[in-house]
């Protein structure tokens, strides 16, 4: 599995439409709040042109892409953390996701009601952030009270943790998401077990009208500026266009994209931005039986990358026979890579690079 993400946003911003595009799961998309009664979950294959090229070269019996796990969460409204609407019961479903995709409505359409009666991206973002902050505040308040009592009794660990919890509690009381607080690595480690929603990295997805593609228009620009101010990622997608794209044959998709001056579907941009946000890279294994993509964190060493395939590979790791995707495609075959001296033998200290094609040798 590549990574897990939860899609959040106000009702009627296009969350389920985008989810449908991602997963082809056809979650109900209707013009009224709370149409997503149960959290929808889907496993989404990650499109990668490199995987397609490797398949053409190796002609394997099977090709397996890496994937992301996507949760479509019911639309949150003001008061969701206190049980307003249906949002509160779904907040727990995103506790353990790696990242949040925050869909923000950046299109005008009189036929689709806005829960607040107006199109205001920053106001929409504030509503979601406030509700997530309030939910996090519930978590930290209980922990703070316990740690405070221990600290007063002289507990050393509690005394070290208490200032961090107080810092976090103050930020949440002020409605400031913890990702904007600037916590250092030690502070983050100290509160990691609380799984704060507002600590999770966010990918802002501006859902725009077709006429505002490819750049997104004025409303999307506001969201982009906000995302940049907190170091978050940002993508522009037209849910309506993406919904049309998935229904078209590949040749017609390319023609449609060309007309819109788009190089690829928004889905590709969304997934790539998610990988970048979480610092993920892809390496490949390739042979006659299977060509497969694997996702690891940037900076992963070869034995740990092998362990993603099977724990035995990591325990018994000997070496990794490695070539770059660029060398393989440029030279035309694995044999040519060997003949040109481009096949590398890497050991336990090797840091895996995006696009590496690897064969692991190990002891059973």
């Amino acid at each position: 599995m590549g990574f897990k993400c939860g899609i959040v946003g106000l009702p009627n911003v296009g969350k389920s439409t985008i989810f449908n595009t991602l997963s082809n799961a056809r979650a109900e998309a209707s013009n009224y709040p709370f149409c997503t009664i149960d959290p929808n979950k889907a496993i989404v294959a990650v499109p990668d042109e490199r995987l397609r090229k490797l398949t053409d070269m190796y002609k394997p019996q099977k090709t397996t892409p890496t994937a992301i796990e996507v949760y479509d969460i019911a639309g949150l409204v003001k008061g969701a953390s206190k049980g307003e609407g249906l949002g509160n019961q779904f907040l727990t479903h995103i506790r353990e996701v790696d990242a949040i995709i925050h869909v923000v409505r950046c299109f005008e359409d009189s036929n689709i009601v806005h829960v607040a009666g107006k199109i205001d991206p920053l106001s929409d973002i504030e509503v979601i952030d406030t509700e997530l902050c309030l939910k996090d505040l519930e978590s930290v308040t209980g922990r703070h009270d316990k740690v405070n009592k221990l600290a007063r009794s002289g507990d050393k660990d509690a005394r070290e943790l208490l200032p961090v919890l107080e810092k976090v509690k103050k930020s949440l009381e002020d409605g400031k998401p913890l990702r904007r607080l600037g916590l250092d690595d030690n502070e983050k480690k100290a509160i990691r077990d609380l799984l704060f929603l507002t600590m999770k990295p966010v990918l802002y997805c501006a859902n725009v009208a077709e006429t505002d593609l490819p750049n997104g228009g004025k409303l999307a620009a506001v969201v982009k500026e906000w995302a940049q101010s907190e170091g978050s990622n940002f993508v522009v997608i037209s849910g309506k266009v993406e919904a049309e794209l998935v229904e078209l044959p590949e040749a017609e998709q390319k023609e449609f994209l060309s007309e819109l001056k788009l190089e690829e579907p928004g889905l590709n941009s969304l997934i790539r931005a998610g990988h970048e946000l979480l610092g993920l890279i892809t390496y490949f294994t390739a042979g006659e039986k299977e060509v497969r993509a694997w996702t690891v964190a940037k900076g992963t060493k070869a034995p740990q990358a092998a362990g993603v395939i099977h724990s035995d590979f990591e325990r018994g790791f000997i070496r990794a026979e490695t070539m770059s995707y660029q060398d393989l495609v440029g030279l035309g075959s694995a044999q040519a890579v060997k003949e040109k001296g481009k096949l590398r033998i890497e050991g336990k200290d090797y840091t895996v690079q995006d696009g590496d094609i690897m064969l692991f040798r190990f002891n059973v």
Side-chain angles (χ1 to χ4, degrees):
M1 189 62 59
F3 62 94
K4 300 177 183 178
C5 57
I7 303 180
V8 303
L10 292 175
N12 288 353
V13 298
K15 293 187 302 83
S16 292
T17 299
I18 291 172
F19 174 82
N20 290 343
T21 304
L22 279 167
S23 65
N24 211 24
R26 299 294 180 268
E28 182 184 3
S30 303
N31 181 26
Y32 59 92
F34 320 126
C35 65
T36 308
I37 304 303
D38 294 310
N40 290 279
K41 172 185 172 182
I43 306 300
V44 184
V46 176
D48 194 321
E49 184 60 33
R50 297 173 299 181
L51 192 66
R52 183 180 300 186
K53 183 67 175 178
L54 290 174
T55 298
D56 290 341
M57 293 181 72
Y58 282 86
K59 296 180 172 49
Q61 298 172 22
K62 181 182 180 182
T63 298
T64 307
T66 188
I68 62 173
E69 195 170 318
V70 183
Y71 293 82
D72 180 26
I73 312 300
L76 301 178
V77 296
K78 187 174 182 179
S81 62
K82 301 299 181 185
E84 193 71 27
L86 295 176
N88 189 43
Q89 61 183 289
F90 294 100
L91 287 171
T92 54
H93 290 291
I94 56 174
R95 282 287 183 199
E96 296 188 24
V97 299
D98 300 306
I100 292 173
I101 298 174
H102 186 164
V103 179
V104 185
R105 179 170 172 174
C106 295
F107 65 88
E108 300 276 0
D109 190 333
S110 59
N111 295 316
I112 301 178
V113 298
H114 189 288
V115 69
K118 62 178 181 178
I119 308 300
D120 185 342
L122 290 186
S123 176
D124 292 357
I125 291 171
E126 183 181 358
V127 169
I128 299 298
D129 277 349
T130 297
E131 295 309 314
L132 297 183
C133 281
L134 289 171
K135 198 65 179 176
D136 280 349
L137 186 58
E138 290 179 11
S139 299
V140 75
T141 298
R143 177 66 63 86
H144 176 271
D145 292 345
K146 292 178 182 178
V147 171
N148 190 31
K149 290 179 181 178
L150 288 172
R152 287 180 177 178
S153 68
D155 186 285
K156 181 181 177 182
D157 291 337
R159 285 183 173 181
E160 292 179 355
L161 178 58
L162 186 60
V164 182
L165 293 178
E166 289 178 341
K167 187 176 181 180
V168 166
K169 188 169 180 284
K170 177 64 166 58
S171 177
L172 294 171
E173 288 172 342
D174 292 340
K176 182 179 180 180
L178 299 182
R179 63 181 175 275
R180 284 180 167 262
L181 187 53
L183 297 172
D184 63 33
D185 289 342
N186 289 331
E187 290 173 322
K188 290 177 182 178
K189 185 177 180 180
I191 60 173
R192 186 178 298 161
D193 65 312
L194 286 167
L195 300 175
F196 287 122
L197 298 174
T198 62
M199 278 287 290
K200 297 183 183 298
V202 175
L203 170 59
Y204 289 97
C205 177
N207 187 15
V208 306
E210 178 180 333
T211 52
D212 284 324
L213 292 172
N215 297 322
K218 293 180 179 180
L219 292 175
V222 171
V223 179
K224 182 178 182 179
E225 184 178 352
W226 176 265
Q228 290 176 337
S229 73
E230 65 176 30
S232 295
N233 282 26
F234 166 83
V235 293
V236 169
I237 283 184
S238 171
K240 182 178 180 181
V241 167
E242 296 297 318
E244 293 175 16
L245 273 172
V246 295
E247 301 292 342
L248 297 175
E250 187 174 350
E252 292 183 30
Q253 281 188 16
K254 291 181 178 179
E255 185 178 344
F256 189 21
L257 288 169
S258 179
E259 291 175 0
L260 295 172
K261 299 180 180 179
L262 296 173
E263 296 182 359
E264 61 182 0
L267 165 64
N268 297 29
S269 301
L270 183 65
I271 294 172
R272 188 165 53 251
H275 273 242
E276 181 183 334
L277 180 69
L278 291 169
L280 301 175
I281 61 171
T282 300
Y283 79 86
F284 304 93
T285 51
E288 293 181 0
K289 290 187 176 180
E290 184 180 27
V291 167
R292 183 161 182 166
W294 304 88
T295 298
V296 294
K298 192 179 297 183
T300 297
K301 299 295 184 181
Q304 286 69 51
V308 173
I309 300 175
H310 197 286
S311 57
D312 287 347
F313 285 25
E314 182 176 357
R315 282 195 296 267
F317 179 88
I318 300 173
R319 65 180 183 272
E321 297 175 9
T322 308
M323 54 185 160
S324 74
Y325 172 81
Q326 289 80 4
D327 285 341
L328 177 61
V329 172
L331 294 171
S333 70
Q335 183 60 37
V337 171
K338 292 179 183 179
E339 291 173 355
K340 292 291 185 180
K342 296 289 187 179
L343 180 66
R344 310 188 309 274
I345 305 301
E346 305 290 0
K348 293 182 178 180
D349 292 331
Y350 175 68
T351 300
V352 178
Q353 302 299 305
D354 187 55
D356 276 350
I357 300 163
M358 311 186 80
L359 174 62
F360 297 106
R361 301 295 186 182
F362 64 99
N363 287 319
V364 179

